[in-house]
Amino acid sequence: ADELIRHQDSKGGRAQRGFVEGLVTRTNGVAPLLKITRDDINDEVRRRKKKKKKEAESARAAVLLSSGDAATDSVASVGSKVRFAPDTASSRLVARGDARRSASLASTNCAAPR
């Protein structure tokens, strides 16, 4: 997955034709019992990019929280209501949606026998 990520970064986000196929062939040549597929590699790339993005967002949030002005910049008090900056509010909505989706998937997976 790291090799594909580096390759995509050097090619402007796209993999050269045949690169992933070669990667799969090479990987299965070294460890044939793992039976790695193109989908396995692409899933791992997506997982790692998502993790990296999440780490970058949390680092950004930590920097904002550590600066004294950030709290007053991102939250504006209006009367008795507190309003959040749009990016803060939308990230909360996305997090809630992810939690609901995970809970829904978990309940679906528990009910189905394997």
Side-chain angles (χ1 to χ4, degrees):
D2 290 332
E3 189 175 344
L4 180 57
I5 292 170
R6 282 192 304 272
H7 176 76
Q8 286 176 337
D9 288 345
S10 70
K11 300 291 183 185
R14 305 229 356 133
Q16 186 176 356
R17 185 181 179 107
F19 182 82
V20 177
E21 181 182 1
L23 191 60
V24 170
T25 303
R26 221 173 36 246
T27 303
N28 284 327
V30 174
L33 295 177
L34 292 178
K35 297 180 182 174
I36 301 292
T37 65
R38 178 189 63 188
D39 292 336
D40 295 331
I41 292 173
N42 288 331
D43 290 345
E44 182 67 14
V45 167
R46 275 189 221 96
R47 188 187 68 76
R48 289 186 187 191
K49 284 185 176 182
K50 186 176 180 180
K51 181 180 176 185
K52 186 176 180 181
K53 182 178 178 183
K54 185 181 266 190
E55 288 172 353
E57 287 175 356
S58 61
R60 181 176 161 244
V63 168
L64 287 175
L65 290 175
S66 67
S67 70
D69 297 338
T72 56
D73 289 344
S74 62
V75 179
S77 181
V78 178
S80 63
K81 295 182 180 179
V82 175
R83 295 183 180 234
F84 293 92
D87 62 325
T88 307
S90 65
S91 65
R92 283 197 188 96
L93 292 174
V94 169
R96 285 187 198 143
D98 289 345
R100 288 184 188 135
R101 210 171 305 116
S102 296
S104 173
L105 288 173
S107 65
T108 304
N109 289 339
C110 291
R114 292 203 173 230

